[in-house]
PDB file of all heavy atoms in Angstrom:
ATOM      1  N   HIS A 163     -97.963   6.843  97.244  1.00 84.00           N
ATOM      2  CA  HIS A 163     -98.930   5.994  97.669  1.00 84.00           C
ATOM      3  C   HIS A 163     -99.460   6.352  99.104  1.00 84.00           C
ATOM      4  O   HIS A 163     -98.609   6.533 100.020  1.00 84.00           O
ATOM      5  CB  HIS A 163     -98.479   4.551  97.681  1.00 84.00           C
ATOM      6  CG  HIS A 163     -99.581   3.577  98.172  1.00 84.00           C
ATOM      7  ND1 HIS A 163     -99.206   2.413  98.871  1.00 84.00           N
ATOM      8  CD2 HIS A 163    -100.860   3.488  98.037  1.00 84.00           C
ATOM      9  CE1 HIS A 163    -100.326   1.787  99.201  1.00 84.00           C
ATOM     10  NE2 HIS A 163    -101.338   2.354  98.642  1.00 84.00           N
ATOM     11  N   TRP A 164    -100.729   6.512  99.229  1.00 78.00           N
ATOM     12  CA  TRP A 164    -101.286   6.708 100.583  1.00 78.00           C
ATOM     13  C   TRP A 164    -102.383   5.609 100.792  1.00 78.00           C
ATOM     14  O   TRP A 164    -103.407   5.644 100.128  1.00 78.00           O
ATOM     15  CB  TRP A 164    -102.046   8.004 100.616  1.00 78.00           C
ATOM     16  CG  TRP A 164    -101.068   9.269 100.831  1.00 78.00           C
ATOM     17  CD1 TRP A 164    -100.598   9.805 101.975  1.00 78.00           C
ATOM     18  CD2 TRP A 164    -100.365   9.938  99.742  1.00 78.00           C
ATOM     19  NE1 TRP A 164     -99.705  10.793 101.715  1.00 78.00           N
ATOM     20  CE2 TRP A 164     -99.463  10.839 100.343  1.00 78.00           C
ATOM     21  CE3 TRP A 164    -100.441   9.781  98.298  1.00 78.00           C
ATOM     22  CZ2 TRP A 164     -98.689  11.677  99.546  1.00 78.00           C
ATOM     23  CZ3 TRP A 164     -99.531  10.529  97.616  1.00 78.00           C
ATOM     24  CH2 TRP A 164     -98.752  11.520  98.226  1.00 78.00           C
ATOM     25  N   PRO A 165    -102.185   4.763 101.676  1.00 80.00           N
ATOM     26  CA  PRO A 165    -103.018   3.575 101.910  1.00 80.00           C
ATOM     27  C   PRO A 165    -104.281   4.034 102.638  1.00 80.00           C
ATOM     28  O   PRO A 165    -104.292   5.083 103.401  1.00 80.00           O
ATOM     29  CB  PRO A 165    -102.237   2.583 102.746  1.00 80.00           C
ATOM     30  CG  PRO A 165    -101.230   3.415 103.452  1.00 80.00           C
ATOM     31  CD  PRO A 165    -100.965   4.549 102.499  1.00 80.00           C
ATOM     32  N   ALA A 166    -105.391   3.339 102.574  1.00 76.00           N
ATOM     33  CA  ALA A 166    -106.557   3.701 103.321  1.00 76.00           C
ATOM     34  C   ALA A 166    -106.383   3.259 104.833  1.00 76.00           C
ATOM     35  O   ALA A 166    -106.898   2.253 105.224  1.00 76.00           O
ATOM     36  CB  ALA A 166    -107.749   2.883 102.693  1.00 76.00           C
ATOM     37  N   ASP A 167    -105.716   4.096 105.505  1.00 63.00           N
ATOM     38  CA  ASP A 167    -105.341   3.843 106.862  1.00 63.00           C
ATOM     39  C   ASP A 167    -106.270   4.537 107.881  1.00 63.00           C
ATOM     40  O   ASP A 167    -105.828   4.635 109.129  1.00 63.00           O
ATOM     41  CB  ASP A 167    -103.966   4.113 107.136  1.00 63.00           C
ATOM     42  CG  ASP A 167    -103.579   5.525 106.800  1.00 63.00           C
ATOM     43  OD1 ASP A 167    -104.451   6.331 106.492  1.00 63.00           O
ATOM     44  OD2 ASP A 167    -102.319   5.948 106.875  1.00 63.00           O
ATOM     45  N   GLY A 168    -107.283   5.215 107.468  1.00 54.00           N
ATOM     46  CA  GLY A 168    -108.191   5.899 108.374  1.00 54.00           C
ATOM     47  C   GLY A 168    -107.729   7.352 108.807  1.00 54.00           C
ATOM     48  O   GLY A 168    -108.336   7.860 109.594  1.00 54.00           O
ATOM     49  N   SER A 169    -106.615   7.870 108.090  1.00 55.00           N
ATOM     50  CA  SER A 169    -106.129   9.160 108.367  1.00 55.00           C
ATOM     51  C   SER A 169    -107.089  10.284 108.023  1.00 55.00           C
ATOM     52  O   SER A 169    -107.067  11.386 108.553  1.00 55.00           O
ATOM     53  CB  SER A 169    -104.795   9.432 107.758  1.00 55.00           C
ATOM     54  OG  SER A 169    -104.906   9.410 106.425  1.00 55.00           O
ATOM     55  N   GLY A 170    -107.966  10.039 106.992  1.00 60.00           N
ATOM     56  CA  GLY A 170    -108.888  10.959 106.609  1.00 60.00           C
ATOM     57  C   GLY A 170    -108.507  11.763 105.313  1.00 60.00           C
ATOM     58  O   GLY A 170    -109.363  12.240 104.625  1.00 60.00           O
ATOM     59  N   ALA A 171    -107.227  11.889 105.109  1.00 58.00           N
ATOM     60  CA  ALA A 171    -106.823  12.679 103.892  1.00 58.00           C
ATOM     61  C   ALA A 171    -107.217  11.981 102.560  1.00 58.00           C
ATOM     62  O   ALA A 171    -107.808  12.570 101.613  1.00 58.00           O
ATOM     63  CB  ALA A 171    -105.308  12.828 103.885  1.00 58.00           C
ATOM     64  N   ALA A 172    -107.108  10.668 102.465  1.00 61.00           N
ATOM     65  CA  ALA A 172    -107.531   9.923 101.341  1.00 61.00           C
ATOM     66  C   ALA A 172    -109.085  10.070 101.151  1.00 61.00           C
ATOM     67  O   ALA A 172    -109.557  10.175 100.001  1.00 61.00           O
ATOM     68  CB  ALA A 172    -107.107   8.505 101.361  1.00 61.00           C
ATOM     69  N   GLN A 173    -109.784   9.911 102.206  1.00 67.00           N
ATOM     70  CA  GLN A 173    -111.223   9.981 102.120  1.00 67.00           C
ATOM     71  C   GLN A 173    -111.678  11.451 101.736  1.00 67.00           C
ATOM     72  O   GLN A 173    -112.616  11.551 101.043  1.00 67.00           O
ATOM     73  CB  GLN A 173    -111.778   9.633 103.510  1.00 67.00           C
ATOM     74  CG  GLN A 173    -111.728   8.186 103.874  1.00 67.00           C
ATOM     75  CD  GLN A 173    -110.360   7.852 104.581  1.00 67.00           C
ATOM     76  OE1 GLN A 173    -109.336   8.496 104.416  1.00 67.00           O
ATOM     77  NE2 GLN A 173    -110.320   6.768 105.281  1.00 67.00           N
ATOM     78  N   ASP A 174    -110.991  12.417 102.235  1.00 68.00           N
ATOM     79  CA  ASP A 174    -111.274  13.773 101.841  1.00 68.00           C
ATOM     80  C   ASP A 174    -111.164  13.907 100.392  1.00 68.00           C
ATOM     81  O   ASP A 174    -112.000  14.608  99.692  1.00 68.00           O
ATOM     82  CB  ASP A 174    -110.364  14.855 102.576  1.00 68.00           C
ATOM     83  CG  ASP A 174    -110.696  14.902 103.972  1.00 68.00           C
ATOM     84  OD1 ASP A 174    -111.769  14.451 104.514  1.00 68.00           O
ATOM     85  OD2 ASP A 174    -109.846  15.398 104.800  1.00 68.00           O
ATOM     86  N   PHE A 175    -110.116  13.398  99.776  1.00 67.00           N
ATOM     87  CA  PHE A 175    -109.858  13.530  98.426  1.00 67.00           C
ATOM     88  C   PHE A 175    -110.935  12.856  97.620  1.00 67.00           C
ATOM     89  O   PHE A 175    -111.375  13.379  96.647  1.00 67.00           O
ATOM     90  CB  PHE A 175    -108.468  12.984  98.052  1.00 67.00           C
ATOM     91  CG  PHE A 175    -108.019  13.193  96.648  1.00 67.00           C
ATOM     92  CD1 PHE A 175    -107.725  14.458  96.199  1.00 67.00           C
ATOM     93  CD2 PHE A 175    -108.040  12.172  95.672  1.00 67.00           C
ATOM     94  CE1 PHE A 175    -107.411  14.648  94.843  1.00 67.00           C
ATOM     95  CE2 PHE A 175    -107.760  12.338  94.415  1.00 67.00           C
ATOM     96  CZ  PHE A 175    -107.330  13.604  93.961  1.00 67.00           C
ATOM     97  N   ALA A 176    -111.324  11.701  98.050  1.00 67.00           N
ATOM     98  CA  ALA A 176    -112.348  10.887  97.389  1.00 67.00           C
ATOM     99  C   ALA A 176    -113.611  11.588  97.377  1.00 67.00           C
ATOM    100  O   ALA A 176    -114.445  11.656  96.334  1.00 67.00           O
ATOM    101  CB  ALA A 176    -112.546   9.477  98.028  1.00 67.00           C
ATOM    102  N   MET A 177    -113.910  12.215  98.442  1.00 70.00           N
ATOM    103  CA  MET A 177    -115.192  12.989  98.528  1.00 70.00           C
ATOM    104  C   MET A 177    -115.283  14.180  97.670  1.00 70.00           C
ATOM    105  O   MET A 177    -116.223  14.484  96.988  1.00 70.00           O
ATOM    106  CB  MET A 177    -115.478  13.471 100.012  1.00 70.00           C
ATOM    107  CG  MET A 177    -115.830  12.389 101.014  1.00 70.00           C
ATOM    108  SD  MET A 177    -115.943  13.009 102.672  1.00 70.00           S
ATOM    109  CE  MET A 177    -117.316  14.267 102.427  1.00 70.00           C
ATOM    110  N   LEU A 178    -114.062  14.767  97.548  1.00 68.00           N
ATOM    111  CA  LEU A 178    -113.906  16.022  96.647  1.00 68.00           C
ATOM    112  C   LEU A 178    -114.168  15.510  95.137  1.00 68.00           C
ATOM    113  O   LEU A 178    -114.875  16.174  94.371  1.00 68.00           O
ATOM    114  CB  LEU A 178    -112.539  16.612  96.755  1.00 68.00           C
ATOM    115  CG  LEU A 178    -112.271  17.797  95.807  1.00 68.00           C
ATOM    116  CD1 LEU A 178    -113.163  19.005  96.213  1.00 68.00           C
ATOM    117  CD2 LEU A 178    -110.820  18.288  95.941  1.00 68.00           C
ATOM    118  N   LEU A 179    -113.507  14.461  94.695  1.00 66.00           N
ATOM    119  CA  LEU A 179    -113.617  13.968  93.381  1.00 66.00           C
ATOM    120  C   LEU A 179    -115.129  13.498  93.126  1.00 66.00           C
ATOM    121  O   LEU A 179    -115.639  13.814  92.088  1.00 66.00           O
ATOM    122  CB  LEU A 179    -112.756  12.800  93.196  1.00 66.00           C
ATOM    123  CG  LEU A 179    -111.188  13.040  93.293  1.00 66.00           C
ATOM    124  CD1 LEU A 179    -110.446  11.849  92.857  1.00 66.00           C
ATOM    125  CD2 LEU A 179    -110.839  14.278  92.494  1.00 66.00           C
ATOM    126  N   SER A 180    -115.706  12.823  94.029  1.00 68.00           N
ATOM    127  CA  SER A 180    -117.114  12.510  93.899  1.00 68.00           C
ATOM    128  C   SER A 180    -118.088  13.722  93.675  1.00 68.00           C
ATOM    129  O   SER A 180    -118.987  13.735  92.876  1.00 68.00           O
ATOM    130  CB  SER A 180    -117.551  11.637  95.179  1.00 68.00           C
ATOM    131  OG  SER A 180    -116.814  10.492  95.205  1.00 68.00           O
ATOM    132  N   HIS A 181    -117.795  14.781  94.549  1.00 67.00           N
ATOM    133  CA  HIS A 181    -118.633  16.008  94.465  1.00 67.00           C
ATOM    134  C   HIS A 181    -118.415  16.547  93.031  1.00 67.00           C
ATOM    135  O   HIS A 181    -119.421  16.993  92.402  1.00 67.00           O
ATOM    136  CB  HIS A 181    -118.096  16.979  95.506  1.00 67.00           C
ATOM    137  CG  HIS A 181    -118.858  18.256  95.509  1.00 67.00           C
ATOM    138  ND1 HIS A 181    -118.480  19.286  94.597  1.00 67.00           N
ATOM    139  CD2 HIS A 181    -119.978  18.756  96.129  1.00 67.00           C
ATOM    140  CE1 HIS A 181    -119.248  20.213  94.767  1.00 67.00           C
ATOM    141  NE2 HIS A 181    -120.251  19.979  95.717  1.00 67.00           N
ATOM    142  N   TYR A 182    -117.173  16.583  92.447  1.00 63.00           N
ATOM    143  CA  TYR A 182    -116.979  17.164  91.149  1.00 63.00           C
ATOM    144  C   TYR A 182    -117.836  16.365  90.138  1.00 63.00           C
ATOM    145  O   TYR A 182    -118.494  16.912  89.304  1.00 63.00           O
ATOM    146  CB  TYR A 182    -115.520  17.161  90.813  1.00 63.00           C
ATOM    147  CG  TYR A 182    -115.200  17.701  89.447  1.00 63.00           C
ATOM    148  CD1 TYR A 182    -114.895  19.021  89.266  1.00 63.00           C
ATOM    149  CD2 TYR A 182    -115.169  16.831  88.374  1.00 63.00           C
ATOM    150  CE1 TYR A 182    -114.557  19.505  88.108  1.00 63.00           C
ATOM    151  CE2 TYR A 182    -114.871  17.398  87.062  1.00 63.00           C
ATOM    152  CZ  TYR A 182    -114.529  18.638  86.893  1.00 63.00           C
ATOM    153  OH  TYR A 182    -114.225  19.191  85.656  1.00 63.00           O
ATOM    154  N   ARG A 183    -117.710  15.017  90.244  1.00 62.00           N
ATOM    155  CA  ARG A 183    -118.403  14.210  89.277  1.00 62.00           C
ATOM    156  C   ARG A 183    -119.906  14.427  89.266  1.00 62.00           C
ATOM    157  O   ARG A 183    -120.581  14.497  88.246  1.00 62.00           O
ATOM    158  CB  ARG A 183    -118.188  12.724  89.547  1.00 62.00           C
ATOM    159  CG  ARG A 183    -116.692  12.338  89.290  1.00 62.00           C
ATOM    160  CD  ARG A 183    -116.471  11.993  87.817  1.00 62.00           C
ATOM    161  NE  ARG A 183    -117.330  10.886  87.354  1.00 62.00           N
ATOM    162  CZ  ARG A 183    -117.443  10.658  86.104  1.00 62.00           C
ATOM    163  NH1 ARG A 183    -116.961  11.327  85.147  1.00 62.00           N
ATOM    164  NH2 ARG A 183    -118.182   9.591  85.744  1.00 62.00           N
ATOM    165  N   ARG A 184    -120.481  14.676  90.430  1.00 63.00           N
ATOM    166  CA  ARG A 184    -121.922  14.794  90.532  1.00 63.00           C
ATOM    167  C   ARG A 184    -122.413  16.215  90.071  1.00 63.00           C
ATOM    168  O   ARG A 184    -123.508  16.327  89.532  1.00 63.00           O
ATOM    169  CB  ARG A 184    -122.407  14.590  92.026  1.00 63.00           C
ATOM    170  CG  ARG A 184    -122.248  13.196  92.492  1.00 63.00           C
ATOM    171  CD  ARG A 184    -123.096  13.007  93.738  1.00 63.00           C
ATOM    172  NE  ARG A 184    -122.675  13.914  94.849  1.00 63.00           N
ATOM    173  CZ  ARG A 184    -121.688  13.546  95.670  1.00 63.00           C
ATOM    174  NH1 ARG A 184    -121.101  12.385  95.653  1.00 63.00           N
ATOM    175  NH2 ARG A 184    -121.365  14.488  96.624  1.00 63.00           N
ATOM    176  N   HIS A 185    -121.567  17.220  90.394  1.00 61.00           N
ATOM    177  CA  HIS A 185    -122.085  18.590  90.205  1.00 61.00           C
ATOM    178  C   HIS A 185    -121.548  19.370  89.055  1.00 61.00           C
ATOM    179  O   HIS A 185    -122.138  20.447  88.767  1.00 61.00           O
ATOM    180  CB  HIS A 185    -121.885  19.358  91.528  1.00 61.00           C
ATOM    181  CG  HIS A 185    -122.622  18.826  92.724  1.00 61.00           C
ATOM    182  ND1 HIS A 185    -123.935  18.937  92.846  1.00 61.00           N
ATOM    183  CD2 HIS A 185    -122.138  18.139  93.788  1.00 61.00           C
ATOM    184  CE1 HIS A 185    -124.294  18.305  93.998  1.00 61.00           C
ATOM    185  NE2 HIS A 185    -123.196  17.850  94.550  1.00 61.00           N
ATOM    186  N   ARG A 186    -120.512  18.925  88.313  1.00 57.00           N
ATOM    187  CA  ARG A 186    -119.962  19.661  87.365  1.00 57.00           C
ATOM    188  C   ARG A 186    -120.912  19.955  86.169  1.00 57.00           C
ATOM    189  O   ARG A 186    -120.999  21.079  85.677  1.00 57.00           O
ATOM    190  CB  ARG A 186    -118.742  18.945  86.818  1.00 57.00           C
ATOM    191  CG  ARG A 186    -117.721  19.810  86.089  1.00 57.00           C
ATOM    192  CD  ARG A 186    -117.918  20.018  84.652  1.00 57.00           C
ATOM    193  NE  ARG A 186    -117.048  20.989  83.976  1.00 57.00           N
ATOM    194  CZ  ARG A 186    -117.144  21.454  82.828  1.00 57.00           C
ATOM    195  NH1 ARG A 186    -118.062  20.910  82.006  1.00 57.00           N
ATOM    196  NH2 ARG A 186    -116.340  22.319  82.353  1.00 57.00           N
ATOM    197  N   ASP A 187    -121.579  18.966  85.785  1.00 57.00           N
ATOM    198  CA  ASP A 187    -122.576  19.143  84.648  1.00 57.00           C
ATOM    199  C   ASP A 187    -123.690  20.096  84.922  1.00 57.00           C
ATOM    200  O   ASP A 187    -124.355  20.650  84.031  1.00 57.00           O
ATOM    201  CB  ASP A 187    -123.170  17.732  84.245  1.00 57.00           C
ATOM    202  CG  ASP A 187    -122.055  16.858  83.629  1.00 57.00           C
ATOM    203  OD1 ASP A 187    -121.049  17.475  83.083  1.00 57.00           O
ATOM    204  OD2 ASP A 187    -122.292  15.635  83.449  1.00 57.00           O
ATOM    205  N   LEU A 188    -123.905  20.365  86.271  1.00 55.00           N
ATOM    206  CA  LEU A 188    -124.999  21.298  86.594  1.00 55.00           C
ATOM    207  C   LEU A 188    -124.576  22.664  86.621  1.00 55.00           C
ATOM    208  O   LEU A 188    -125.295  23.638  86.836  1.00 55.00           O
ATOM    209  CB  LEU A 188    -125.430  20.900  88.116  1.00 55.00           C
ATOM    210  CG  LEU A 188    -126.011  19.525  88.271  1.00 55.00           C
ATOM    211  CD1 LEU A 188    -126.386  19.270  89.791  1.00 55.00           C
ATOM    212  CD2 LEU A 188    -127.200  19.256  87.389  1.00 55.00           C
ATOM    213  N   ALA A 189    -123.241  22.894  86.364  1.00 52.00           N
ATOM    214  CA  ALA A 189    -122.641  24.282  86.512  1.00 52.00           C
ATOM    215  C   ALA A 189    -123.079  25.090  85.231  1.00 52.00           C
ATOM    216  O   ALA A 189    -122.991  26.363  85.235  1.00 52.00           O
ATOM    217  CB  ALA A 189    -121.191  24.184  86.558  1.00 52.00           C
ATOM    218  N   GLY A 190    -123.489  24.422  84.158  1.00 54.00           N
ATOM    219  CA  GLY A 190    -123.940  25.064  82.914  1.00 54.00           C
ATOM    220  C   GLY A 190    -122.842  26.028  82.326  1.00 54.00           C
ATOM    221  O   GLY A 190    -121.727  25.686  82.225  1.00 54.00           O
ATOM    222  N   HIS A 191    -123.310  27.324  82.069  1.00 54.00           N
ATOM    223  CA  HIS A 191    -122.349  28.229  81.472  1.00 54.00           C
ATOM    224  C   HIS A 191    -121.253  28.795  82.393  1.00 54.00           C
ATOM    225  O   HIS A 191    -120.342  29.365  82.009  1.00 54.00           O
ATOM    226  CB  HIS A 191    -123.132  29.485  80.896  1.00 54.00           C
ATOM    227  CG  HIS A 191    -123.798  30.289  82.049  1.00 54.00           C
ATOM    228  ND1 HIS A 191    -124.996  29.880  82.605  1.00 54.00           N
ATOM    229  CD2 HIS A 191    -123.370  31.419  82.746  1.00 54.00           C
ATOM    230  CE1 HIS A 191    -125.380  30.845  83.545  1.00 54.00           C
ATOM    231  NE2 HIS A 191    -124.325  31.651  83.605  1.00 54.00           N
ATOM    232  N   ASP A 192    -121.425  28.339  83.717  1.00 66.00           N
ATOM    233  CA  ASP A 192    -120.372  28.731  84.743  1.00 66.00           C
ATOM    234  C   ASP A 192    -119.379  27.587  84.920  1.00 66.00           C
ATOM    235  O   ASP A 192    -118.651  27.600  85.874  1.00 66.00           O
ATOM    236  CB  ASP A 192    -121.039  29.043  85.981  1.00 66.00           C
ATOM    237  CG  ASP A 192    -121.823  30.345  85.936  1.00 66.00           C
ATOM    238  OD1 ASP A 192    -121.384  31.243  85.198  1.00 66.00           O
ATOM    239  OD2 ASP A 192    -122.852  30.523  86.656  1.00 66.00           O
ATOM    240  N   ALA A 193    -119.350  26.601  84.050  1.00 63.00           N
ATOM    241  CA  ALA A 193    -118.597  25.452  84.136  1.00 63.00           C
ATOM    242  C   ALA A 193    -117.154  25.698  84.271  1.00 63.00           C
ATOM    243  O   ALA A 193    -116.307  25.146  85.041  1.00 63.00           O
ATOM    244  CB  ALA A 193    -118.780  24.422  83.055  1.00 63.00           C
ATOM    245  N   GLU A 194    -116.673  26.803  83.437  1.00 68.00           N
ATOM    246  CA  GLU A 194    -115.242  27.176  83.508  1.00 68.00           C
ATOM    247  C   GLU A 194    -114.788  27.719  84.913  1.00 68.00           C
ATOM    248  O   GLU A 194    -113.753  27.338  85.397  1.00 68.00           O
ATOM    249  CB  GLU A 194    -114.982  28.162  82.350  1.00 68.00           C
ATOM    250  CG  GLU A 194    -113.446  28.605  82.337  1.00 68.00           C
ATOM    251  CD  GLU A 194    -113.197  29.479  81.072  1.00 68.00           C
ATOM    252  OE1 GLU A 194    -113.929  29.335  80.091  1.00 68.00           O
ATOM    253  OE2 GLU A 194    -112.351  30.314  81.279  1.00 68.00           O
ATOM    254  N   ALA A 195    -115.758  28.500  85.453  1.00 70.00           N
ATOM    255  CA  ALA A 195    -115.492  29.043  86.775  1.00 70.00           C
ATOM    256  C   ALA A 195    -115.483  27.907  87.851  1.00 70.00           C
ATOM    257  O   ALA A 195    -114.605  27.869  88.811  1.00 70.00           O
ATOM    258  CB  ALA A 195    -116.482  30.136  87.133  1.00 70.00           C
ATOM    259  N   TYR A 196    -116.417  26.988  87.587  1.00 67.00           N
ATOM    260  CA  TYR A 196    -116.542  25.829  88.510  1.00 67.00           C
ATOM    261  C   TYR A 196    -115.205  25.028  88.517  1.00 67.00           C
ATOM    262  O   TYR A 196    -114.675  24.621  89.450  1.00 67.00           O
ATOM    263  CB  TYR A 196    -117.672  24.955  88.151  1.00 67.00           C
ATOM    264  CG  TYR A 196    -117.969  23.822  89.070  1.00 67.00           C
ATOM    265  CD1 TYR A 196    -118.606  24.087  90.241  1.00 67.00           C
ATOM    266  CD2 TYR A 196    -117.528  22.513  88.784  1.00 67.00           C
ATOM    267  CE1 TYR A 196    -118.840  23.075  91.088  1.00 67.00           C
ATOM    268  CE2 TYR A 196    -117.882  21.540  89.619  1.00 67.00           C
ATOM    269  CZ  TYR A 196    -118.532  21.830  90.763  1.00 67.00           C
ATOM    270  OH  TYR A 196    -118.803  20.711  91.661  1.00 67.00           O
ATOM    271  N   ASP A 197    -114.713  24.799  87.245  1.00 68.00           N
ATOM    272  CA  ASP A 197    -113.382  24.034  87.101  1.00 68.00           C
ATOM    273  C   ASP A 197    -112.261  24.769  87.780  1.00 68.00           C
ATOM    274  O   ASP A 197    -111.473  24.139  88.450  1.00 68.00           O
ATOM    275  CB  ASP A 197    -113.061  23.843  85.575  1.00 68.00           C
ATOM    276  CG  ASP A 197    -113.776  22.806  84.973  1.00 68.00           C
ATOM    277  OD1 ASP A 197    -114.586  22.055  85.701  1.00 68.00           O
ATOM    278  OD2 ASP A 197    -113.681  22.599  83.703  1.00 68.00           O
TER     279      ASP A 197
END
Side-chain angles (χ1 to χ4, degrees):
H163 178 218
W164 285 265
D167 56 5
S169 65
Q173 290 86 339
D174 290 346
F175 186 72
M177 288 177 61
L178 179 66
L179 299 188
S180 297
H181 180 277
Y182 180 92
R183 290 280 297 167
R184 288 196 304 270
H185 297 287
R186 201 271 172 186
D187 291 339
L188 301 178
H191 64 277
D192 291 328
E194 186 173 323
Y196 186 77
D197 280 355

